[in-house]
Amino acid sequence: DQPATPGSNAALAEQAFQRALELNPDLSMAHHLYAMHEDEMGRSVPAMVRLLKRAATRPADAELFAGLCHACRYSGLLHASIAAHERGHRIDPSVPTSVSFTLYSLGEFERSRETEQVEPRWNRALALIDLGREAEALEAWRAMPTSNSSPAARAVIDCYISVVERRPQDAITNIEHLLGT
């Protein structure tokens, strides 16, 4: 057995999404998550178009709008991303979206901090930095759960902490760890 690589994992994910949609082409959560995968693979415009076509026939499907929130942001359509989030939340206020990242990209740091729904709350801490509230940001990063975190996620958190605490060598060490050097 060969160890998994990012490329092989991406190919396996692609196959899994294709299979899930083959088994149930109406599974909105699969469309949402597949769009996120497509975004990471540089295919955000096709993902957005696919979700828009589905949303035209399923206008009350909050999962599709959550996926659109992500795909629109990756396509550079930040206000459309917010509109997709708002539409999805009118349908189902509990559906998680990535609107916090969109708001952060627009420089709306307080709204970004307030709207983040998914753990760990990266944007909450980053927004606190941009709001000049370093001590609160450090507290937020230190409070992030680590039991389920990957070593890479832990290294990113430690890197942020090192930067804010002005320990550049520790930040470099964490970056090297992330890069595998």
Side-chain angles (χ1 to χ4, degrees):
D1 283 336
Q2 295 293 321
T5 64
S8 67
N9 286 339
L12 289 172
E14 184 80 26
Q15 291 170 2
F17 284 121
Q18 292 294 330
R19 180 68 176 139
L21 293 172
E22 180 183 300
L23 291 171
N24 185 350
D26 294 325
L27 188 59
S28 296
M29 182 180 288
H31 281 282
H32 173 185
L33 297 174
Y34 183 42
M36 293 174 74
H37 170 75
E38 289 177 295
D39 294 337
E40 294 295 331
M41 298 292 105
R43 302 189 318 255
S44 56
V45 172
M48 182 180 59
V49 169
R50 180 175 50 78
L51 290 172
L52 283 169
K53 286 179 181 176
R54 294 200 59 76
T57 62
R58 300 175 64 122
D61 193 328
E63 280 286 341
L64 293 175
F65 289 99
L68 273 168
C69 177
H70 197 271
C72 287
R73 183 179 69 256
Y74 268 66
S75 298
L77 303 171
L78 301 180
H79 294 288
S81 172
I82 292 170
H85 160 80
E86 290 171 349
R87 176 79 179 265
H89 269 237
R90 276 195 304 276
I91 298 164
D92 179 358
S94 69
V95 70
T97 73
S98 61
V99 74
S100 175
F101 291 92
T102 303
L103 293 166
Y104 186 87
S105 297
L106 287 167
E108 295 188 32
F109 304 125
E110 192 62 43
R111 277 184 70 199
S112 172
R113 192 179 71 78
E114 292 170 355
T115 59
E116 191 160 29
Q117 302 167 295
V118 180
E119 295 291 344
R121 298 178 189 267
W122 299 98
N123 277 0
R124 190 169 285 183
L126 290 172
L128 287 167
I129 292 294
D130 288 302
L131 292 167
R133 295 159 56 185
E134 290 183 359
E136 289 176 72
L138 286 169
E139 184 178 317
W141 277 313
R142 288 189 176 113
M144 285 186 183
T146 58
S147 59
N148 294 344
S149 296
S150 69
R154 186 72 245 164
V156 170
I157 292 168
D158 290 343
C159 186
Y160 282 135
I161 292 170
S162 299
V163 169
V164 173
E165 290 180 339
R166 291 158 184 79
R167 294 182 287 114
Q169 191 54 52
D170 290 343
I172 291 168
T173 299
N174 282 302
I175 291 168
E176 289 172 343
H177 173 75
L178 284 167
L179 297 174
T181 57

